[in-house]
Amino acid sequence: MKFINVGFGNMVAAERVVALASPDSAPIKRLIQDSKDDGRAIDVTCGRRTRAVIITDSEHVILSAVQTETIANRLENNGGDEDTDEEAED
């Protein structure tokens, strides 16, 4: 099983990822709120701004402080050991 780093030492199984989205649109904001209400939201931002929303096949919604493009690159490479300079940005 391959895992990808989604920020601050947190990992997600690459096979379980269905979609990556930016948290800026209204439908994604509703999805986040609904998942929080249902207990399906996993916040791994460590208090930082949410920059990516990861949707899994189990309908869990993972909120990450790492850019969507960075996570997509990690999924393509099936790794998670790239430099994490973007995590330090506010």
Side-chain angles (χ1 to χ4, degrees):
M1 181 179 292
K2 299 284 185 175
F3 287 92
I4 57 164
N5 184 343
V6 293
F8 304 106
N10 298 295
M11 308 292 250
V12 173
E15 304 89 42
R16 306 294 301 262
V17 174
V18 174
L20 292 171
S22 173
D24 299 330
S25 70
I28 297 297
K29 288 179 182 178
R30 280 193 300 272
L31 177 71
I32 293 168
Q33 189 58 50
D34 290 346
S35 66
K36 284 182 179 179
D37 293 343
D38 295 342
R40 295 180 290 115
I42 303 168
D43 187 351
V44 296
T45 60
C46 292
R48 299 232 173 31
R49 183 173 153 241
T50 301
R51 294 186 174 181
V53 179
I54 304 165
I55 302 166
T56 65
D57 59 355
S58 61
E59 297 184 2
H60 283 85
V61 176
I62 302 167
L63 309 175
S64 175
V66 178
Q67 292 284 348
T68 307
E69 295 83 13
T70 304
I71 296 173
N73 288 337
R74 292 176 184 177
L75 277 170
E76 281 181 15
N77 297 333
N78 275 334
D81 54 353
E82 290 85 6
D83 292 333
T84 55
D85 292 340
E86 293 186 46
E87 294 174 8
E89 295 178 9
D90 287 332

